[in-house]
């Protein structure tokens, strides 16, 4: 008999806070650098050095809590979490255990069955460890990262599939970047995730034995690792075995997880309150300030783009993929309110040439693109000429208005001028005109092409069509066919 299994997944996300200094000392948090150059007695864990909490990091954590609708503890406690590792010089990590700063929040995600709220169990502050670098000559230790401020965001075990886990992770990744608390760089480890996975017979209220997956540093990796682990649990149980509670490492190249270390419970860490730090007290003003400082969140922006600007859900999704893109787009909108036109030019033409990160330094500015779209909208240039103008803007950084004037690209809408051009082409091609008159209507396309070519595409296409139809009509106004 084959059972239907239900997966139960919870994610723990470590998020590096975008603040200039470490959590308990003044050392810079910049990534990389000469190994061990960004250290001091505090983050080196030298005896007698005392930690001083960064209030800037606390303010940053409070913003995360506000965005995820958490309850803030007025008094939270830092604790020592003991374990021995070469890149942890003190022999313990300062974190929060029994009394975390933030709890009981939630995050809405889109799932196959609609929007679902995933509970956030807790968000606590902690310091990062250093880095061990394994070489042929031995293991080296770099403590530049030691003491860098993190928040760990722990979800409730509300996720039911790899798809849902990735949807949650992406939503979270988007939020921390939009509110400016984390750069979200997964490669450099500023946003990293562990997954707790278990399965149980569908409908059962009892939780199965879980395994914890580490080393998940891409969305794709998270998805594959969870799928793999669900299938592995099902296989073990269906063979009559038992899942072992353990930490497993995802091997992306091999496409499998492998056991890393055995069961680890909280008591192994011998947590106790950090005696060198007073309890962290946060007042109502700080919580209110965090809430007030939040910009609109991406889900809200998407809803507004669809409902108020009339964009498609797809376009709204593309525009909100990066905070920088939203800023650029909204600046352009203040100059010319054609939401769809600006979106098209930005996402297809401009982003076809530059990456989002290069927008700020790109010669095409939001005001410039808005001016270009306005010139199309008021009929000064055609969509086709606009591409030539856009090329010019990109190359010279000049404004579209200047380019249109200096290069003579202004669209001709004057009927007399258009008629003259059309007549000229008809007269220059008597053979084709005779063919048209004899019933070969496809020749009309040839005339349009000739007219546009001779005038460099500057004639208003709709007017050209009108005039051409009139001159080709078997009544008056025919050009002389002799
Ligand atoms: Zn330091």
């Amino acid at each position: 008999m084959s059972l239907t299994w239900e997966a139960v997944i919870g994610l723990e996300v470590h998020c590096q806070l975008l603040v200039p200094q470490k959590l308990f000392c003044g050392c810079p948090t910049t990534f990389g650098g000469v190994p061990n150059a960004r250290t001091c007695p505090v983050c080196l864990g030298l005896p007698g050095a005392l930690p001083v909490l960064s209030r800037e990091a606390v303010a940053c954590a409070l913003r995360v809590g506000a965005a995820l609708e958490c309850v803030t503890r007025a008094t939270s406690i830092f604790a020592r979490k003991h374990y021995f590792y070469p890149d942890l010089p003190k022999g313990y990590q300062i974190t929060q255990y029994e009394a975390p700063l933030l709890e009981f929040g939630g995050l809405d995600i889109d799932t196959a069955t609609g929007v679902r709220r995933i509970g956030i169990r807790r968000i606590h502050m902690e310091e990062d460890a250093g880095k061990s670098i394994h070489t042929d000559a031995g293991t080296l230790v770099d403590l530049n990262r030691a003491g860098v401020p993190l928040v760990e965001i722990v979800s409730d075990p509300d996720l039911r599939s790899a798809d849902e886990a990735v949807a949650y992770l992406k939503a979270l990744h988007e939020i921390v970047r939009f509110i400016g608390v984390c750069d979200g760089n997964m490669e450099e480890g500023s946003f990293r995730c562990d997954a707790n996975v278990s399965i149980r017979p569908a409908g059962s209220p009892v939780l199965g034995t879980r395994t914890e997956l580490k080393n998940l540093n891409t969305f794709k990796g998270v998805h594959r690792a969870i799928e793999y682990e669900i299938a592995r649990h099902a296989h073990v149980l269906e063979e009559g075995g038992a899942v072992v509670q353990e930490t497993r490492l995802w091997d992306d190249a091999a496409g499998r997880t492998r056991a890393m270390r055995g069961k680890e419970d909280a008591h192994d860490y011998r947590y106790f309150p950090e005696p060198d730090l007073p309890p962290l007290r946060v007042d109502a003003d700080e919580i209110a300030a965090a809430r007030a400082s939040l910009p609109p969140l991406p889900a809200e922006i998407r809803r507004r783009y669809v409902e108020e600007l009339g964009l498609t859900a797809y376009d709204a999704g593309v525009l909100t993929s990066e905070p920088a893109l939203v800023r650029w787009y909204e600046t352009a909108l203040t100059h010319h309110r054609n939401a769809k036109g600006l979106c098209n030019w930005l996402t297809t033409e401009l982003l076809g040439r530059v990456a989002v990160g290069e927008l700020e330094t790109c010669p095409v500015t939001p005001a410039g693109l808005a001016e270009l779209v306005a010139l199309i909208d008021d009929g000064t240039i055609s969509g086709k000429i606009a591409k030539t103008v856009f090329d010019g803007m990109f190359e010279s950084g000049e404004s579209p208005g200047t380019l249109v004037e200096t290069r003579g690209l202004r669209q001709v809408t004057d009927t007399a001028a258009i008629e003259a051009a059309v007549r000229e082409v008809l007269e220059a091609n008597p053979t084709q005109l005779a063919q048209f008159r004899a019933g070969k209507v496809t020749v009309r396309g040839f005339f349009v092409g000739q007219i546009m070519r001779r005038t460099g595409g500057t004639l208003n296409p709709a007017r050209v069509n009108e005039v051409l139809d009139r001159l080709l009509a078997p009544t008056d106004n025919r050009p002389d066919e002799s």
Side-chain angles (χ1 to χ4, degrees):
M1 189 190 85
S2 155
L3 275 169
T4 310
W5 299 104
E6 177 183 65
V8 177
I9 303 158
L11 297 184
E12 294 170 5
V13 174
H14 283 94
C15 195
Q16 183 183 327
L17 298 176
L18 261 183
V19 288
Q21 293 176 335
K22 292 186 180 178
L23 190 53
F24 301 117
C25 62
C27 294
T29 52
T30 337
F31 178 78
V34 175
N36 300 306
R38 293 170 188 150
T39 55
C40 71
V42 173
C43 55
L44 287 173
L46 299 187
L50 290 173
V52 177
L53 177 65
S54 152
R55 287 311 291 208
E56 204 177 353
V58 174
C60 215
L62 289 175
R63 279 161 69 85
V64 180
L68 297 173
E69 297 167 26
C70 289
V71 176
T72 308
R73 261 182 205 268
T75 305
S76 60
I77 308 286
F78 282 98
R80 291 184 178 182
K81 178 183 180 180
H82 296 84
Y83 60 96
F84 177 78
Y85 212 72
D87 59 25
L88 188 73
K90 294 194 295 292
Y92 59 85
Q93 177 192 25
I94 303 178
T95 179
Q96 295 188 309
Y97 180 53
E98 280 173 318
L101 178 61
L102 301 148
E103 292 171 296
F104 314 124
L107 173 59
D108 291 337
I109 62 163
D110 289 319
T111 72
T113 52
V115 174
R116 214 149 65 71
R117 189 166 182 81
I118 305 303
I120 304 283
R121 178 170 292 178
R122 55 184 281 151
I123 302 177
H124 58 258
M125 300 188 72
E126 62 185 28
E127 58 175 344
D128 209 344
K131 245 184 235 175
S132 297
I133 303 149
H134 306 287
T135 72
D136 292 341
T139 295
L140 304 171
V141 172
D142 177 7
L143 295 173
N144 281 350
R145 204 180 67 183
V148 162
L150 305 175
V151 284
E152 180 175 343
I153 304 166
V154 182
S155 85
D156 282 320
D158 288 347
L159 301 157
R160 293 289 171 268
S161 66
D163 283 347
E164 287 190 6
V166 171
Y168 167 85
L169 201 58
K170 283 189 172 169
L172 195 57
H173 186 246
E174 198 175 65
I175 285 179
V176 295
R177 283 180 309 134
F178 267 77
I179 65 174
V181 297
C182 176
D183 65 18
N185 191 324
M186 294 171 87
E187 224 162 81
E188 292 177 1
S190 19
F191 186 87
R192 45 193 205 259
C193 163
D194 301 332
N196 289 304
V197 179
S198 66
I199 63 169
R200 62 186 174 191
S204 164
V206 184
L207 288 171
T209 304
R210 66 184 168 85
T211 48
E212 185 178 1
L213 307 182
K214 293 209 175 273
N215 200 30
L216 309 173
N217 43 26
T218 60
F219 292 119
K220 211 173 152 200
V222 170
H223 196 272
R224 291 175 68 211
I226 291 175
E227 293 257 274
Y228 176 89
E229 201 58 13
I230 291 170
R232 192 183 68 83
H233 285 211
H235 182 73
V236 168
L237 296 174
E238 282 164 12
E239 295 286 303
V243 172
V244 179
Q245 183 179 334
E246 62 190 354
T247 300
R248 296 178 71 89
L249 209 60
W250 169 243
D251 181 339
D252 203 59
R256 60 186 299 270
T257 62
R258 59 184 157 81
M260 184 177 147
R261 57 174 184 244
K263 179 173 167 159
E264 220 165 47
D265 267 336
H267 62 257
D268 295 331
Y269 291 123
R270 292 172 292 123
Y271 280 102
F272 67 75
E274 165 61 67
D276 291 340
L277 285 166
L280 166 56
R281 291 185 212 286
V282 176
D283 63 29
D285 287 348
E286 282 173 284
I287 300 168
R291 207 163 288 149
S293 73
L294 288 184
L297 298 181
E300 187 186 325
I301 299 173
R302 277 193 288 276
R303 188 193 50 74
R304 187 162 56 79
Y305 282 2
V306 171
E307 288 174 10
E308 292 171 23
L309 301 182
L311 297 182
T312 61
Y314 175 82
D315 282 342
V318 172
L319 289 172
T320 53
S321 60
E322 293 288 340
L325 209 49
V326 170
R327 282 196 297 274
W328 205 99
Y329 178 68
E330 298 208 345
T331 308
L333 266 184
T334 61
H335 294 276
H336 180 61
R337 214 161 169 81
N338 176 346
K340 182 70 187 161
L342 284 171
C343 171
N344 287 346
W345 279 89
L346 170 58
T347 59
T348 57
E349 297 298 330
L350 191 52
L351 292 179
R353 297 184 186 219
V354 297
V356 175
E358 297 163 335
L359 278 176
E360 294 294 317
T361 53
C362 154
V364 177
T365 61
L369 194 72
E371 187 185 345
L372 180 72
V373 175
L375 289 173
I376 305 167
D377 290 349
D378 69 13
T380 306
I381 54 173
S382 67
K384 195 161 177 241
I385 288 295
K387 299 217 172 174
T388 310
V389 177
F390 182 80
D391 287 341
M393 292 164 68
F394 202 84
E395 284 150 21
S396 67
E398 281 186 86
S399 80
T402 309
L403 287 162
V404 166
E405 295 314 325
T406 56
R407 301 194 188 178
L409 297 172
R410 181 176 282 278
Q411 180 166 250
V412 177
T413 49
D414 170 56
T415 310
I418 291 173
E419 187 164 329
V422 174
R423 281 182 188 280
E424 202 177 300
V425 166
L426 294 182
E427 282 158 19
N429 297 282
T431 319
Q432 284 81 357
L433 185 59
Q435 286 172 344
F436 184 86
R437 298 268 182 249
K440 196 178 173 191
V441 291
T442 50
V443 179
R444 188 183 180 287
F446 164 81
F447 292 132
V448 174
Q450 288 294 309
I451 296 160
M452 289 308 189
R453 196 159 311 137
R454 285 168 82 114
T455 55
T458 51
L459 301 190
N460 178 305
R463 295 278 170 83
V464 167
N465 280 314
E466 271 169 38
V467 171
L468 185 62
D469 283 341
R470 182 158 53 77
L471 295 185
L472 288 174
T475 52
D476 310 326
N477 299 323
R478 281 190 192 173
D480 198 343
E481 286 172 47
S482 60

